[in-house]
Amino acid sequence: MAKQFLLRRSVFILAFFILAGLIYALGQDLSFPTDIIHLDTAVSQLPRYAVYSLMRMFLAYLLSFFFSIAYGYIAATSPKAEGPMVAFLDVLQSIPILGFFPVAVIFFVSLFNGSRIGVEVASIFLIFTSMSWNMAFSVYESFKTVPSDLVDAAGALGLSGWHCFSKALFPICIPRLIYSSMISWAGGWYFLIAAEIIAIGPVKHELPGLGSFLIHSTENGQVDRTILALLLLVGMIILFNLFVWQPLGVWSEKFRYEFSVSGPPRHSFSLLWYRKILATTQFRALRKLSFFTLSPLKKTITLFQRFGGKMTIIVIKGMGVLCLVAIFYAVSSHLIVFVEGFSKPFPIEIRNIPIAIGASFLRLVVAYILALSWTLPVAYWVGQSPPALKVVTPIAEIGAAIPAPALFPFIILFGIHVMGGMNAAAILLILTGMQWYLLFNLLGGVQNIPADLKEVARSLGLSRWHAFRRLFLPAVFPALITGSITAWGGGWNALIVSEYLIYRHEIHSVTGIGAMLDQAIYESGDAQMILITLLSMILTITLLNRFFWRKLYVYALGHFKIEY
Amino acid sequence: MNFIEVQKVFKFFQQDRVLMPVLKEISFKVHEGEFIALVGPSGCGKSTLLRLLTGLVLPTEGSVLYKGKSLTSVNLDSAMVFQSFALFPWLTVMGNVEVGLEARGLSEEMRHKRAAEFIDKVGLDGFEEAYPRELSGGMKQRVGLARALAVEPKLLCMDEPFSALDPLTSLALREEVLMMWEDHTMAVNTIIMVTHMIEEAVLMADRVLVLSPRPGTFLADIKIDLPRPRDKKDVRVNEISDQIFSLMAR
Ligand SMILES: Nc1ncnc2c1ncn2[C@@H]1O[C@H](COP(=O)(O)OP(=O)(O)O)[C@@H](O)[C@H]1O
Ligand SMILES: [Mg+2]
């Protein structure tokens, strides 16, 4: 009982702190620090910048990791909270990273009184927003599919609390969590530039990092520096892939809960190394140490489990309070905008919004078709010869992680000078934000095609076309839809780095909602415009999701799900 | 000329960067019209051997001859039945049976007629438009059987076809498979079946091939000259079962 009371109190204390912080932040003048952070663009700084960016990414990832597990778990296990939480996540997912700028700037920067820390925290928060939603979704979906016989077995074995969570529930979500982590990590790099330059209107903070360095070099048209920074980035991604994602991916295979999987097991040389290191005595000592740091976490989760029913209510209440706070915050911070914005006439540019959305939509359609036309054959090829995965995955990871602005010089060269026009360049850039999500999901889908179905196709002598139509396409259809949803989300988000770009001090832009948002944030800083463009964008995306993609997804699950 | 001849076949699989032997120097012959059972402990390479016989998997060393010719790709005169049924969940019963016929370029009308005929033969008349998820395990395996038989293969390979079924269902299905094998109007007259149940092998097959634990080597080739239908209470059935059992237990 006492423990429960403590928990309840801690939820309220947390809410109180957030509230206090908000009021404090709002009380501040919404002004930037006077000492603007300047970027030293010497090439010798590059290694240091790479480390800074990596640290930001890492902290943001850590946050995303815990956030996604907590959010996914609560959403999947408390029926009352599920609907609103999933809907909320849907909306969050559709907000482009620039949409979080006002929050990041007004809240974090003002909270820390405009100091460097505030800007850093804001940057980490922005990276977090580009990583966590997709991870939270996959945790949620994994928990939803925990086989009930497994839960029964865990119950029968007397597992409860932390043990049940860590032995029976959590392992189920490991494969998908790791896979989506890999994608999110790449997404973090992709939007790094947007996250390292914190700006509203003319005031601009450029945090020392790879992203800032990249944007500087492209704005100045220094292609050699762009290439240098790009090489460094690619090098880091390759190392990270070899030493983190690959061993984790191989390790996660053993948590797959499947009836029949055959075929050669994957392997990773670094995983073999780690296993050797794990067996040494020094490491055992380290392990003991980590036990002490982990046990408080275990205790809270055990507590949470034990008071299952009551805890859910408390959590829901806590969430309710937090939501109220969020609404209060949103309303008050935008109060000025609302009062000013809706009493004073709307800016004339508002009339352009429907056309801008239409133009952006058309670009997305073209980019989507382009993306489909190459990812489907590649996924099919990987399905036919699984070793190809070893080549395709790293390429996709690198491709997905290269920030769009780093490609400006090449895309402008190719798009504007070869293909004739900024529209072509914009579509190519949108493609960079769309295609990899599609590919990642298709690859995931193709790997889940049961080996026996593939054998049937071969033994019946299906031709390539028949195997594609009768086996591959239906089998990957659910993954295709999930991939399309993510790709479209990524595409809408990528608009902000695709429709408006600065190269050699020259602004290239096209009519589109992304360009409008960029202009509102980077040029005018007009809060009213920011709010209105943002809202219309979110509305479009959410409506499309609700009335098109969700329906298609439900249909796909009903007709094409492989179950045994 | 032999129907199938396996000549000194070795099979290795890559596992964690080392080549693991799965099958070691396997040689035997299969005559047309025989019913052969492959038995051995789990993991000894029975499924792999079956796939070698259909050309789904190619040997590392040695060769598999079909009608005197070495197999270099899938043998389209063969068809497979799987323990897991392996039905396409997005296709109806009819669709599943038609897939192989479509691959052989039959016209839509012909496909339909032939598929309906085989669905009828396995006793699923009336379920043409049902989806696999709506069927029981036994019915699913009947669809698997119909799909394999519809392409009129000379050789039918079955990988533990009755293991996922309850005892009564598998009993009934065994009888039907034997009946179809003895039915001379059907194209198929040679059957090779993998099983881990010795009794099942003795009750059904003409010859039982016994493999040793992994890496699988050839232990014995046992002829079963008992008249059909066989009874599992028959002393001779029990004798042969015991003999195979003691071979494997060694
Ligand atoms: N494609 C493959 N790659 C690597 N190893 C395999 C592959 N297929 C089967 N194996 C291995 O070969 C061994 C024999 O498998 P299998 O033929 O399925 O045995 P059985 O059917 O007798 O149980 C098993 O240890 C299995 O892990
Ligand atoms: Mg087997």
Side-chain angles (χ1 to χ4, degrees), chain A residues 540-559:
Chain A
T540 314
I541 301 171
T542 327
L543 286 180
L544 261 178
N545 275 351
R546 280 264 152 241
F547 293 103
F548 183 68
W549 292 116
R550 284 274 146 215
K551 293 231 154 97
L552 213 55
Y553 183 68
V554 170
Y555 171 80
L557 280 194
H559 284 75

Side-chain angles (χ1 to χ4, degrees), chain A residues 259 264-265 267 452-453 455-456 458-462 466 469-471 474-475 558-564, chain B residues 14-17 51 55-56 74 76 78 80 82 84 86-91 99-100 102-104 133 147 151:
Chain A
F259 180 63
H267 83 104
D452 53 1
L453 288 190
E455 269 188 338
V456 169
R458 284 183 60 211
S459 95
L460 289 175
L462 296 201
H466 279 131
R469 225 180 65 169
R470 292 281 178 237
L471 173 61
H559 284 75
F560 299 108
K561 196 165 178 208
I562 299 173
E563 51 194 329
Y564 278 94
Chain B
Q14 188 102 24
Q15 278 179 1
D16 274 341
R17 286 215 168 160
R51 280 157 182 74
L56 276 167
V74 181
L76 288 182
S78 71
M80 278 275 274
F82 297 79
S84 57
L87 302 180
F88 297 106
W90 42 82
L91 295 180
V99 164
E102 192 181 29
R104 278 162 180 73
R133 59 175 170 273
R147 179 176 63 189
V151 298

Side-chain angles (χ1 to χ4, degrees), chain A residues 141-158:
Chain A
E141 276 167 12
S142 309
F143 277 138
K144 283 302 275 186
T145 57
V146 171
S148 58
D149 49 348
L150 198 68
V151 177
D152 292 346
L157 287 171

Side-chain angles (χ1 to χ4, degrees), chain B residues 112-129:
Chain B
H112 224 71
K113 208 173 134 242
R114 177 104 69 95
E117 182 189 324
F118 280 90
I119 291 171
D120 197 24
K121 274 213 171 100
V122 297
L124 282 182
D125 205 10
F127 287 94
E128 287 85 354
E129 295 311 313

